[in-house]
């Protein structure tokens, strides 16, 4: 451009150098690179175009077209419509054509497509911003805690009813239901208990849309209660475990017709089990009636016999002890040696009874209550392929009553030996776990931290 409408132009389309301009040659000024123009075209396919000019006469980019879209925006045949945006890699464009299809695309890839009554999202829809959200309802909710409908934001998806979150996916990866009382996550299925019974905090079982059983837990001020019930009208029955603030625990079974009066109950505060219920079991011609220690069988006027239980069974205390060694112990060659244990993993006995294992006599478990006992022992020898290995149970330091023998395993692996025996013990009897090896030198029994029972002596009273 020299000035005004005067241009210096070199005519060299054929590449041979400057060519002359015959007088009367028509020309069109397409503009400089980056400038735009509007073209009205009717000679082949009618259209209106907005075009951006490039550095050469034939370097042109079509930005908008109204009319026949054939030849651009992916159309290869006549199709009337409107197209907006450059049709090139990485560029967004919008088209709407005579078929009633509206596309919002990235180059040739549909992002959003509206066709008739359908709307499809063909790719990722990104909503930026910390306050961005989608609300669905009539009227839509105004936040994740206000309104009725669906609310989606960067913290989760929420189902609301009258300002209460009924169900929602949280950004913590958990699925919540029942206003937050039901949780499903990588720890499993959880129900948050209330202070009183609430239907939505229970697990229910249905038949023909009717509840036939349910489970729930209640956290009250002075107790915790687990309930498992069968729903059948007047004959409802339930099983309950109740833990009170005084640390006593009760197990209760009852029916609706006898509500408040237990069929069977166990209460740790009284260390006992009580039974109080009339059970109809017989319908034949027995004529006797007798009573033995709270068990009564009698005939009524309808010739139906009733078994009545009204008694108390004293709770027993399990008696057991398990001693373990948590470090290595050197075992001399060719000599029976008692394992010296380092701690009692368990020592269960009635109140007032002395400990069965003591660090003062670490090789022994001592009988404190006479009875028949199941005794078990296990040892773990360090890897060594020479000689033999033995383990035995010894009573009162003199007699080995049971022995297990094994050859050592190869492959650099430790050798494991175990045995069990049933013995009758009296108060004061003591049991030791004895080991023997003849590898030619001292050999350790070793401790496996992944298995605290590597070296163990355990007794359990059977009767």
């Amino acid at each position: 451009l020299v000035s005004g409408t005067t241009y210096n132009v070199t005519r060299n389309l054929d590449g041979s150098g400057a060519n002359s301009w015959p007088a009367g040659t028509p020309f069109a000024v397409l503009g400089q690179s980056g400038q735009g123009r509007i073209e009205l075209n009717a000679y082949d396919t009618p259209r209106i175009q907005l075009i951006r000019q490039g550095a050469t006469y034939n370097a042109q980019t079509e930005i908008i077209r109204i009319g026949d879209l054939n030849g651009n925006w992916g159309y290869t045949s006549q199709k009337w419509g409107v197209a907006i945006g450059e049709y090139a890699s990485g560029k967004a464009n919008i088209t709407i054509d005579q078929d009633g299809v509206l596309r919002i695309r990235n180059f040739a890839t549909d992002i959003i497509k509206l066709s008739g009554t359908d709307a499809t999202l063909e790719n990722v829809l990104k909503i930026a911003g910390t306050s961005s959200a989608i609300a669905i309802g009539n009227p839509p909710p105004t936040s994740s805690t206000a309104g009725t409908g669906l609310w989606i934001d960067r913290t989760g998806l929420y189902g609301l009813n009258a300002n209460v979150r009924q169900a929602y996916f949280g950004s913590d990866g958990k699925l919540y239901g029942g206003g937050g009382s039901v949780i499903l996550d990588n720890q499993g299925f959880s129900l948050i208990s209330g202070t009183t019974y609430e239907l939505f905090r229970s697990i229910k079982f249905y038949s023909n849309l009717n509840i036939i059983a349910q489970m729930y837990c209640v956290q009250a001020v002075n107790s915790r209660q687990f309930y498992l019930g069968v729903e059948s009208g007047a004959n409802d029955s339930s099983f309950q475990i109740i833990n009170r603030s005084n640390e006593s625990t009760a197990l209760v079974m009852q029916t609706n017709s006898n509500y408040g009066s237990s069929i069977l109950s166990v209460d740790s505060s009284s260390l006992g089990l009580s039974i109080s219920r009339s059970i109809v079991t017989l319908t034949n011609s027995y004529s006797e009636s007798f009573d033995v220690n709270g068990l009564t069988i009698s005939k009524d006027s309808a010739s139906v016999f009733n078994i009545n239980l009204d008694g108390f069974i004293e709770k027993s205390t399990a008696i057991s002890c398990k001693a373990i060694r948590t470090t290595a112990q050197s075992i001399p060659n060719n000599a029976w040696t008692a394992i010296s244990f380092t701690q009692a993993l368990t020592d269960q006995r009635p109140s007032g009874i002395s400990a069965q294992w003591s660090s003062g006599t670490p090789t022994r478990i001592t009988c404190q209550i006479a009875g028949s006992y199941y005794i078990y022992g296990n040892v773990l020898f360090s890897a060594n392929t020479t000689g033999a290995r033995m383990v035995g149970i010894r009573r009162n330091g003199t007699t080995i009553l049971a022995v297990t023998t094994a050859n050592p395993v190869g492959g650099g692996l430790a050798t494991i030996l175990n045995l069990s025996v049933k013995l009758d013990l009296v108060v004061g009897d003591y049991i030791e776990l004895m080991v023997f090896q003849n590898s030619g030198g001292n050999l350790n029994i070793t401790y496996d931290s992944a298995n605290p029972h590597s070296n163990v002596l355990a007794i359990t009273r059977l009767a």
Side-chain angles (χ1 to χ4, degrees), residues 58-72:
N58 58 351
Q60 303 171 356
T61 302
E62 193 172 8
I63 306 300
I64 297 175
R65 182 189 295 188
I66 301 174
D68 187 1
L69 302 179
N70 184 22
N72 205 348

Side-chain angles (χ1 to χ4, degrees), residues 162-364:
N163 305 326
V164 176
R165 292 177 176 175
Q166 297 299 324
Y168 56 96
F169 286 99
S171 58
D172 55 5
K174 299 179 181 180
L175 170 62
Y176 296 86
S181 297
V182 182
I183 302 174
L184 181 63
D185 59 14
N186 61 359
Q187 301 299 315
F189 176 79
S190 303
L191 282 175
I192 309 303
S193 62
T195 56
T196 60
Y197 167 71
E198 294 170 287
L199 187 63
F200 66 89
R201 298 182 190 270
S202 66
I203 298 176
K204 293 166 284 296
F205 302 87
Y206 286 84
S207 176
N208 297 325
L209 302 180
N210 295 315
I211 297 177
I212 58 173
Q214 61 177 311
M215 293 188 299
Y216 65 84
C217 185
V218 172
Q219 170 72 60
V221 176
N222 296 315
S223 69
R224 299 174 182 172
Q225 177 180 350
F226 171 79
Y227 171 94
L228 171 61
V230 177
E231 313 288 334
S232 57
N235 295 315
D236 286 359
S237 59
S238 68
F239 170 87
Q240 301 174 52
I241 299 177
I242 304 171
N243 180 261
R244 304 184 184 90
S245 58
N246 62 6
E247 298 185 354
S248 69
T249 300
L251 180 151
V252 179
M253 296 178 65
Q254 63 186 20
T255 64
N256 190 53
S257 58
N258 196 38
Y259 188 78
S261 177
S262 303
I263 299 173
L264 180 147
S265 66
V266 179
D267 195 326
S268 63
S269 63
S270 60
L271 300 180
L273 178 148
S274 63
I275 305 171
S276 179
R277 183 68 173 128
S278 175
I279 310 171
V280 178
T281 58
L282 305 174
T283 58
N284 55 23
S285 58
Y286 286 103
S287 59
E288 294 116 303
S289 174
F290 59 92
D291 188 333
V292 180
N293 295 330
L295 170 65
T296 303
I297 300 179
S298 61
K299 175 184 175 183
D300 63 19
S301 59
S303 296
V304 175
F305 284 78
N306 301 302
I307 297 178
N308 294 278
L309 288 161
D310 193 359
F312 187 88
I313 302 173
E314 182 180 0
K315 176 185 175 183
S316 65
T317 300
I319 298 170
S320 64
C321 182
K322 182 182 293 183
I324 63 172
R325 183 174 182 88
T326 58
T327 59
Q329 179 179 337
S330 178
I331 307 301
N333 181 60
N334 207 35
W336 281 100
T337 305
I339 301 298
S340 181
F341 297 100
T342 55
Q343 69 180 79
L345 195 62
T346 60
D347 194 343
Q348 188 172 2
R349 62 197 187 277
S351 177
I353 301 299
S354 299
Q356 297 167 96
W357 179 87
S358 168
S359 59
T361 53
T363 66
R364 305 177 181 181

Side-chain angles (χ1 to χ4, degrees), residues 35 123 132 137 253 271 275 435 451:
Q35 292 182 338
N123 215 307
S132 58
M253 296 178 65
L271 300 180
I275 305 171
V435 294
N451 178 14

